[in-house]
Amino acid sequence: MIGVDVGGTFTDVVAIRDGQIVVNKVPSRSEDAHASVLAGAAGLGVDGARVFNHASTHGLNAIITRQLPKVGLLHTKGHRDVLDQGRIIRPAEAVTDPSWRRSFSDSARPLVPRYLRRGVQERLDRTGAAVIPLDEPQLREQLEVLGRCDVEAVAICLLHSYVDDTHERRVRELVREVLGEIPVSISSEVSALAKEYARTSTTVIDVMMKLIYGDYNDRLLKGLVDLGFTGQLNYADSAATLIDAEAAMARPYRVVFSGPAAGTAASVRLGEVTGWSDLLCADIGGTSCDISVVTGGRPYLKTTFEFEHDLLVNSLSTDIVTIGAGGGSLVDVNTLGELTVGPGSAGAVPGPACYGAGGDQPTTTDGCLLMGLLDSDAFLGGAHRLQPELAVSAFESLPMTGPLSDRVSDAWNLGLNNIAEGIFNAALTRGVDPSDYSLVAYGAAGPMMLPSLLDLLHVKRVIVPPHPGLFSALGLLSTDLVYSDSRSAYTVLGEGAVESVNEILSTLEAALLEPLAEADRARAVVARSFDGRLLGQSWDTPFVSIPAGELTAASLDELIRDFHAEYQQRNGTRFESFPVEAVTFRVQVTVPSEKFEFASLPTRVGDAVEPIATTTLRHLYDDDVDCPVYDRVGLCCGDTFVGPAIVREEMSTTFVPRGRTLSVGSIGELVIE
């Protein structure tokens, strides 16, 4: 089993061999993304691996940087600007700003420029009846325009096509007649959901990902075969569940935002073993801090996710908040003379100043090196020697007064406060009290920074899992293959709706089960749910469970009661006198897959654990402080010591602040309280 998580700074590779976890970490290559994956895999070897589970940011980076292919968009005539309009929602900070413009509009960085968005003469009403028939000669004229513009692919999104896709399918046929066999995505297959903007956005992203991931997947698969891989390649989706490569490439919009969710999946697995089911999860890497919440062993899910404000994709995703705070966060001075940390990052290239790769601006990593938290000779297992003199020069170059010690300590404290604020806001938004939760610290920089937040957040404890620097990649080996689909069909739930609801659910279920191998179909688990609302509302209550089997009038009444219970839990009120309207029906087919197991750690026999070295902490407390250094490999279950202390391992460093106690758990987790 091999799991790979491609981050903005590093690509993490984890393999399970004979029950042992083997890891590798290589710099990410933004210009040649698959190469870093292959380099990491080659370092561990792929011979005999049954699965290769992959979380990629390749498509996400293309969208953020707008390094996108030229695609055309066909929409019902009069509605081609829906992509610019979005949901007509402004972020809070832009409500009073007359100069604000949506980031993906024509005035900024459009996904599809207006001249490539063409109107199609046709119109269906909300029942699927043709108000205006499809005008094929007019469509051919528009396609010839796109042909002269050399578009590489076409997205098709016509009004109300989620009810009847006849027009969309015919438009696809004509696209291929006029423009040849180029990639085409139609919204009724990609996202058969109501609300035109999100469906349009999802379809455009999907066809772009077909171009971006098509080449990427081909190169990756060829490279793996050349390395000797003969198993199954899977991609993680935005909820960190797995899809086989063929299914992923058929609907690649699902795999765009997969990396951060994998860390949450690993945290859920950790909670199952340790018994701590209420978790705040924080993944701090080189560029960002990804924050998620797990309550009762279940992560929060969303029916959509946003790349940028209002840039939506209709895909189930783990609810994750990302802030610009990581080991590579740049320390700077703003125009008011105030010290700032992040959100800009030095990335992998040139990286922090101490890397010696050309970076001349100080970062959080440079500060940690000067404070003594990092060992210049042991970084990344000794593979990369850090240069403290370059870190000193970078901090001294800041246009501000004050000694070096103040600059370093202020940057450290400011960075910690930024992270604490992000975690607190994420918890508060989801209605949870951080003091009731444990904080899981992972990512290469998480164990070094997050234990210092015990005072700021008042969480119960900080947990550093085994292999924190590659924990997200480990999460890819702790999840299942999941195939899902959804369809909008506005249906007032009552006795007359039984037949139509059963038909929708059975159609979705059959379509998901049909492509599976017989063995997978036999052990597949089917889960059904719906998004509903009180009749007249404009927003939905998602994920109301639907019982197995064919629905009857009695089970439909139970479904209505379940909706009211879910509505009350989410909103604190109950309105049983209102009819319930189902908006979207969802079916999920889960095929259980092999998962890794955390190995038990032996209990120490004999004397207490001894440090392997002593270092000096500077710029952190009022005076320099001698600090013991422990090797994580040498720790046993039940070992305990009081900070300040440092625990080193190959891919990460854990810092135990002064006055805090670290104890080692049964699977090697470090618990700091």
Side-chain angles (χ1 to χ4, degrees), residues 636-664:
C636 293
C637 176
D639 285 345
T640 301
F641 47 84
V642 178
I646 290 173
V647 180
R648 300 208 189 281
E649 57 187 296
E650 188 173 354
M651 299 293 175
S652 186
T653 294
T654 299
F655 171 54
V656 185
R658 184 160 58 185
R660 305 302 179 199
T661 299
L662 180 147
S663 57
V664 183

Short mmCIF file of all heavy atoms in Angstrom, two decimals, residues 636-664:
data_model
loop_
_atom_site.label_atom_id
_atom_site.label_comp_id
_atom_site.label_asym_id
_atom_site.label_seq_id
_atom_site.Cartn_x
_atom_site.Cartn_y
_atom_site.Cartn_z
N CYS A 636 8.94 4.97 24.51
CA CYS A 636 8.08 3.81 24.75
C CYS A 636 6.76 4.25 25.37
O CYS A 636 6.66 5.35 25.92
CB CYS A 636 8.76 2.81 25.69
SG CYS A 636 10.22 2.02 25.00
N CYS A 637 5.77 3.40 25.28
CA CYS A 637 4.47 3.70 25.86
C CYS A 637 4.62 3.97 27.36
O CYS A 637 5.26 3.20 28.08
CB CYS A 637 3.53 2.52 25.63
SG CYS A 637 1.91 2.70 26.39
N GLY A 638 4.04 5.06 27.81
CA GLY A 638 4.10 5.42 29.22
C GLY A 638 5.21 6.37 29.59
O GLY A 638 5.22 6.91 30.71
N ASP A 639 6.16 6.63 28.69
CA ASP A 639 7.21 7.61 28.97
C ASP A 639 6.59 8.98 29.22
O ASP A 639 5.65 9.39 28.53
CB ASP A 639 8.20 7.70 27.80
CG ASP A 639 9.14 6.51 27.75
OD1 ASP A 639 9.22 5.78 28.74
OD2 ASP A 639 9.79 6.30 26.69
N THR A 640 7.13 9.70 30.19
CA THR A 640 6.61 11.01 30.55
C THR A 640 7.77 11.94 30.89
O THR A 640 8.74 11.53 31.54
CB THR A 640 5.67 10.91 31.78
OG1 THR A 640 4.60 10.03 31.48
CG2 THR A 640 5.09 12.27 32.14
N PHE A 641 7.68 13.19 30.45
CA PHE A 641 8.64 14.22 30.87
C PHE A 641 8.00 15.59 30.75
O PHE A 641 6.98 15.76 30.07
CB PHE A 641 9.96 14.14 30.11
CG PHE A 641 9.82 14.01 28.61
CD1 PHE A 641 9.65 15.13 27.81
CD2 PHE A 641 9.89 12.76 28.00
CE1 PHE A 641 9.54 15.02 26.44
CE2 PHE A 641 9.78 12.64 26.63
CZ PHE A 641 9.60 13.77 25.84
N VAL A 642 8.59 16.56 31.43
CA VAL A 642 8.05 17.91 31.51
C VAL A 642 8.90 18.85 30.66
O VAL A 642 10.13 18.74 30.63
CB VAL A 642 8.00 18.38 32.98
CG1 VAL A 642 7.47 19.81 33.07
CG2 VAL A 642 7.14 17.44 33.81
N GLY A 643 8.23 19.81 29.99
CA GLY A 643 8.93 20.77 29.16
C GLY A 643 9.59 21.87 29.98
O GLY A 643 9.32 22.02 31.17
N PRO A 644 10.50 22.65 29.37
CA PRO A 644 10.74 22.62 27.93
C PRO A 644 11.51 21.38 27.50
O PRO A 644 12.45 20.97 28.17
CB PRO A 644 11.54 23.90 27.68
CG PRO A 644 12.26 24.14 28.97
CD PRO A 644 11.33 23.67 30.05
N ALA A 645 11.09 20.84 26.37
CA ALA A 645 11.76 19.68 25.80
C ALA A 645 11.47 19.64 24.31
O ALA A 645 10.49 20.22 23.83
CB ALA A 645 11.27 18.40 26.47
N ILE A 646 12.35 18.97 23.60
CA ILE A 646 12.20 18.81 22.15
C ILE A 646 12.27 17.33 21.82
O ILE A 646 13.11 16.59 22.37
CB ILE A 646 13.30 19.58 21.39
CG1 ILE A 646 13.06 21.10 21.51
CG2 ILE A 646 13.35 19.18 19.92
CD1 ILE A 646 14.17 21.94 20.94
N VAL A 647 11.35 16.89 20.94
CA VAL A 647 11.38 15.52 20.44
C VAL A 647 11.64 15.57 18.95
O VAL A 647 10.87 16.20 18.21
CB VAL A 647 10.04 14.79 20.72
CG1 VAL A 647 10.10 13.37 20.19
CG2 VAL A 647 9.73 14.80 22.20
N ARG A 648 12.71 14.95 18.52
CA ARG A 648 13.07 14.98 17.10
C ARG A 648 12.73 13.64 16.44
O ARG A 648 12.85 12.58 17.05
CB ARG A 648 14.54 15.30 16.92
CG ARG A 648 14.97 16.64 17.50
CD ARG A 648 16.16 17.21 16.76
NE ARG A 648 16.72 18.38 17.44
CZ ARG A 648 16.20 19.60 17.38
NH1 ARG A 648 15.12 19.81 16.66
NH2 ARG A 648 16.76 20.61 18.03
N GLU A 649 12.32 13.73 15.20
CA GLU A 649 12.15 12.56 14.34
C GLU A 649 12.52 12.98 12.93
O GLU A 649 12.77 14.17 12.66
CB GLU A 649 10.73 12.02 14.42
CG GLU A 649 9.65 13.03 14.07
CD GLU A 649 8.26 12.48 14.34
OE1 GLU A 649 7.88 11.49 13.67
OE2 GLU A 649 7.56 13.04 15.20
N GLU A 650 12.53 12.05 12.02
CA GLU A 650 13.11 12.31 10.70
C GLU A 650 12.40 13.43 9.95
O GLU A 650 13.05 14.24 9.30
CB GLU A 650 13.10 11.03 9.87
CG GLU A 650 13.86 11.17 8.56
CD GLU A 650 13.98 9.85 7.83
OE1 GLU A 650 13.56 8.82 8.38
OE2 GLU A 650 14.48 9.85 6.68
N MET A 651 11.08 13.51 10.03
CA MET A 651 10.34 14.45 9.21
C MET A 651 9.66 15.56 10.00
O MET A 651 8.90 16.34 9.43
CB MET A 651 9.26 13.70 8.40
CG MET A 651 9.81 12.66 7.44
SD MET A 651 10.76 13.40 6.10
CE MET A 651 11.37 11.92 5.29
N SER A 652 9.91 15.64 11.31
CA SER A 652 9.22 16.65 12.10
C SER A 652 9.93 16.86 13.42
O SER A 652 10.77 16.05 13.84
CB SER A 652 7.76 16.25 12.33
OG SER A 652 7.05 17.28 12.97
N THR A 653 9.58 17.96 14.09
CA THR A 653 10.09 18.29 15.43
C THR A 653 8.92 18.67 16.32
O THR A 653 8.07 19.47 15.93
CB THR A 653 11.08 19.46 15.35
OG1 THR A 653 12.24 19.07 14.62
CG2 THR A 653 11.50 19.91 16.75
N THR A 654 8.87 18.08 17.52
CA THR A 654 7.83 18.43 18.49
C THR A 654 8.46 19.26 19.60
O THR A 654 9.48 18.87 20.17
CB THR A 654 7.19 17.16 19.09
OG1 THR A 654 6.57 16.40 18.05
CG2 THR A 654 6.15 17.52 20.13
N PHE A 655 7.83 20.39 19.92
CA PHE A 655 8.31 21.26 20.99
C PHE A 655 7.32 21.22 22.15
O PHE A 655 6.13 21.50 21.97
CB PHE A 655 8.49 22.69 20.49
CG PHE A 655 8.78 23.68 21.57
CD1 PHE A 655 9.84 23.47 22.46
CD2 PHE A 655 8.01 24.82 21.73
CE1 PHE A 655 10.11 24.38 23.47
CE2 PHE A 655 8.27 25.74 22.74
CZ PHE A 655 9.32 25.52 23.62
N VAL A 656 7.80 20.86 23.33
CA VAL A 656 6.99 20.86 24.54
C VAL A 656 7.33 22.13 25.33
O VAL A 656 8.44 22.24 25.84
CB VAL A 656 7.28 19.61 25.41
CG1 VAL A 656 6.32 19.56 26.60
CG2 VAL A 656 7.17 18.34 24.58
N PRO A 657 6.41 23.08 25.41
CA PRO A 657 6.73 24.35 26.10
C PRO A 657 6.98 24.14 27.60
O PRO A 657 6.61 23.11 28.17
CB PRO A 657 5.47 25.21 25.86
CG PRO A 657 4.78 24.56 24.72
CD PRO A 657 5.07 23.11 24.81
N ARG A 658 7.56 25.13 28.19
CA ARG A 658 7.88 25.08 29.61
C ARG A 658 6.59 24.90 30.44
O ARG A 658 5.58 25.56 30.19
CB ARG A 658 8.58 26.38 30.03
CG ARG A 658 9.04 26.39 31.49
CD ARG A 658 10.11 27.42 31.71
NE ARG A 658 9.67 28.77 31.36
CZ ARG A 658 10.49 29.84 31.39
NH1 ARG A 658 11.76 29.69 31.72
NH2 ARG A 658 10.02 31.02 31.06
N GLY A 659 6.65 23.97 31.41
CA GLY A 659 5.50 23.73 32.27
C GLY A 659 4.49 22.75 31.72
O GLY A 659 3.53 22.42 32.42
N ARG A 660 4.66 22.27 30.50
CA ARG A 660 3.74 21.30 29.91
C ARG A 660 4.31 19.89 30.08
O ARG A 660 5.53 19.70 30.13
CB ARG A 660 3.50 21.58 28.43
CG ARG A 660 3.02 22.99 28.14
CD ARG A 660 1.75 23.29 28.89
NE ARG A 660 1.28 24.64 28.64
CZ ARG A 660 0.42 25.29 29.42
NH1 ARG A 660 -0.05 24.70 30.50
NH2 ARG A 660 0.03 26.50 29.12
N THR A 661 3.42 18.90 30.15
CA THR A 661 3.83 17.51 30.35
C THR A 661 3.52 16.70 29.10
O THR A 661 2.42 16.77 28.56
CB THR A 661 3.09 16.89 31.55
OG1 THR A 661 3.41 17.63 32.73
CG2 THR A 661 3.51 15.44 31.75
N LEU A 662 4.51 15.96 28.66
CA LEU A 662 4.33 15.05 27.52
C LEU A 662 4.28 13.62 28.03
O LEU A 662 5.11 13.21 28.84
CB LEU A 662 5.45 15.21 26.51
CG LEU A 662 5.38 14.30 25.26
CD1 LEU A 662 5.96 15.02 24.04
CD2 LEU A 662 6.14 12.98 25.46
N SER A 663 3.29 12.85 27.55
CA SER A 663 3.23 11.43 27.82
C SER A 663 3.05 10.68 26.51
O SER A 663 2.42 11.19 25.58
CB SER A 663 2.10 11.10 28.80
OG SER A 663 0.86 11.55 28.29
N VAL A 664 3.60 9.48 26.44
CA VAL A 664 3.56 8.69 25.21
C VAL A 664 2.46 7.65 25.32
O VAL A 664 2.38 6.91 26.30
CB VAL A 664 4.92 8.01 24.95
CG1 VAL A 664 4.90 7.24 23.63
CG2 VAL A 664 6.03 9.05 24.93
#
